[in-house]
């Protein structure tokens, strides 16, 4: 009798029982920042070639998951807005995503989806000797160990960014839906990554799957829209400087200080006033 086949995307057996685990988002800010610290300027330049240079400036080493959970719970799918009791609404749109992450807003749709033929053709090149997709942490180790910064490095870096930042799921492994994107590497800079990340979050929240999607955007978008005029940042390295993209100035200590001041209960936030308006996010596109 033949042994059960493995699913390449998950590395799991297709037959048999599996232990149930607590569902969680697999984004790892700490690992992302550690990886970026280890990258040489040449390898960071690869990100710039794909229009992802702002991500190389990320300083926030962790996520504050309770605020992300809360934002998921107050999301209104019909209007695509976060409805904050007594303080107004924050849109989930391309403009806000651009102002947080600074990723491209091109004219090409991100081709995120299963394509077995493309996967079969590319898998051995990216992961020689493996039969199934490696864990995302193994992918990060591979990137850190690479000395070259050609197309293979570029594809692995993009797969890691998708899996750890843009569209993390509850899986320990990168999604095989990344392969069609990697096959169109020359057009990555012309793809609309803002729309892709926003739509991924929207679809997850609409289906009450609050553990999926870009939590980095949720957290930074929220703290960046608050009125910080009454905040004392002296104990956390000072107030975040003026910036084009929220990903670059915020540290985890500054984020925690703001959220501590804003926390209303153990699971809700709304003490600080919101200084956000849509025109502010639109204005950042013109800086």
């Amino acid at each position: 009798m033949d042994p059960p086949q493995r699913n390449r995307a998950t590395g799991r057996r297709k037959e048999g029982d599996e232990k149930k685990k607590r569902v969680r988002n697999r984004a790892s800010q700490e690992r992302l920042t550690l990886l970026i610290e280890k990258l040489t300027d040449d390898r960071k330049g690869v990100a710039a070639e794909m229009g992802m240079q702002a991500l190389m400036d990320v300083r926030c080493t962790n996520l504050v998951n309770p605020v992300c959970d809360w934002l998921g719970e107050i999301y209104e799918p019909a209007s695509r807005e976060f409805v904050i009791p007594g303080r107004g609404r924050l849109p989930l749109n391309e403009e806000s995503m651009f102002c947080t992450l600074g990723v491209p807003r091109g004219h090409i749709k991100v081709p995120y989806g299963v394509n077995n033929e493309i996967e079969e053709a590319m898998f051995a090149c990216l992961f020689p000797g493996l039969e199934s997709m490696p864990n995302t942490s193994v992918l990060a180790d591979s990137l850190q160990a690479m000395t070259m910064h050609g197309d293979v490095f570029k594809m692995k870096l993009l797969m890691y960014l998708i899996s750890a930042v843009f569209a993390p799921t509850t899986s320990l492994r990168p999604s095989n839906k990344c392969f069609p994107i990697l096959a169109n590497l020359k057009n990555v800079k012309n793809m609309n990554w803002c729309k892709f990340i926003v739509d991924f979050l929207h679809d997850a929240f609409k289906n009450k799957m609050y553990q999926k999607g870009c939590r980095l955007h949720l957290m930074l978008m929220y703290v960046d829209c608050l009125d910080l005029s009454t905040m004392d940042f002296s104990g956390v390295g000072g107030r975040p400087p003026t910036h084009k993209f929220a990903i670059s100035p915020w540290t985890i200590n500054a984020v925690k200080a703001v959220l501590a001041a804003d926390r209303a209960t153990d699971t809700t936030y709304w003490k600080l006033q919101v200084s956000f308006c849509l025109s502010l996010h639109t204005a950042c596109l013109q800086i």
Side-chain angles (χ1 to χ4, degrees):
M1 180 177 177
D2 293 333
Q5 293 182 337
R6 285 188 182 274
N7 182 313
R8 176 177 283 169
T10 65
R12 294 173 177 169
R13 299 287 185 183
K14 291 184 178 180
E15 299 175 9
D17 296 332
E18 296 178 7
K19 293 181 179 179
K20 291 184 178 180
K21 296 182 179 180
R22 180 175 178 270
V23 176
R24 55 174 291 189
N25 184 293
R26 297 298 179 176
S28 173
Q29 285 308 112
E30 183 176 13
R31 188 55 197 265
L32 173 65
T33 50
L34 287 174
L35 172 63
I36 290 172
E37 286 177 3
K38 299 290 185 180
L39 295 182
T40 62
D41 289 342
D42 286 342
R43 288 187 288 172
K44 288 181 180 179
V46 168
E49 292 173 10
M50 297 188 290
M52 309 291 183
Q53 59 267 34
L55 291 164
M56 299 297 101
D57 297 327
V58 62
R59 299 178 64 200
C60 198
T61 56
N62 217 325
L63 295 170
V64 180
N65 283 304
V67 74
C68 301
D69 294 337
W70 173 67
L71 286 167
E73 291 167 2
I74 64 172
Y75 182 68
E76 188 176 273
S79 63
R80 297 177 75 115
E81 294 173 317
F82 301 95
V83 182
I84 306 174
R87 293 192 305 174
R89 298 166 177 257
L90 300 176
L92 178 63
N93 57 23
E94 293 180 36
E95 288 79 11
S96 65
M97 186 62 66
F98 182 78
C99 287
T100 301
L101 300 185
V103 292
R105 292 184 66 194
H107 62 282
I108 299 175
K109 180 181 178 181
V110 175
Y112 183 77
V114 175
N115 187 311
N116 293 326
E117 290 184 4
I118 292 177
E119 179 182 350
E120 194 70 29
M122 300 184 69
F123 189 87
C125 175
L126 287 177
F127 307 111
L130 297 184
E131 295 182 359
S132 62
M133 194 78 81
N135 284 3
T136 303
S137 60
V138 174
L139 176 59
D141 289 338
S142 172
L143 280 165
Q144 189 171 317
M146 292 180 73
T147 56
M148 306 298 289
H149 50 274
D151 283 352
V152 171
F153 177 83
K154 187 180 292 187
M155 287 188 282
K156 284 188 173 184
L157 178 60
L158 184 57
M159 178 177 275
Y160 182 78
L161 291 176
I162 295 169
S163 304
V165 184
F166 301 158
T169 65
T170 57
S171 173
L172 288 169
R173 303 170 189 271
S175 173
N176 62 337
K177 294 180 180 180
C178 295
F179 282 103
I181 304 171
L182 308 185
N184 196 14
L185 201 58
K186 65 180 181 180
N187 280 319
V188 166
K189 195 172 185 177
N190 298 317
M191 294 177 187
N192 193 339
W193 289 94
C194 290
K195 178 174 172 53
F196 166 68
I197 302 168
V198 163
D199 287 348
F200 192 94
L201 263 174
H202 169 74
D203 290 343
F205 286 173
K206 181 177 65 175
N207 293 303
K208 301 188 183 302
M209 301 174 71
Y210 301 128
Q211 300 301 322
K212 289 188 175 184
C214 185
R215 293 199 147 206
L216 179 62
H217 167 69
L218 294 178
M219 183 180 73
L220 294 183
M221 174 270 300
Y222 181 69
V223 296
D224 206 53
C225 79
L226 296 175
D227 180 358
L228 306 178
S229 59
T230 61
M231 283 293 305
D232 179 9
F233 288 95
S234 58
V236 292
R239 180 185 298 273
T242 302
H243 52 274
K244 182 175 182 179
F245 304 120
I247 195 171
S248 58
W250 284 96
T251 64
I252 186 58
N253 289 334
V255 168
K256 286 182 175 179
V258 170
L259 292 177
D262 187 55
R263 185 189 293 268
T265 69
D266 287 345
T267 58
T268 60
Y269 300 80
W270 59 53
K271 281 191 174 181
L272 297 177
Q273 293 300 308
V274 175
S275 62
F276 169 94
C277 68
L278 183 57
S279 61
L280 289 178
H281 270 264
T282 304
C284 86
L285 305 180
Q286 303 170 355
I287 295 177

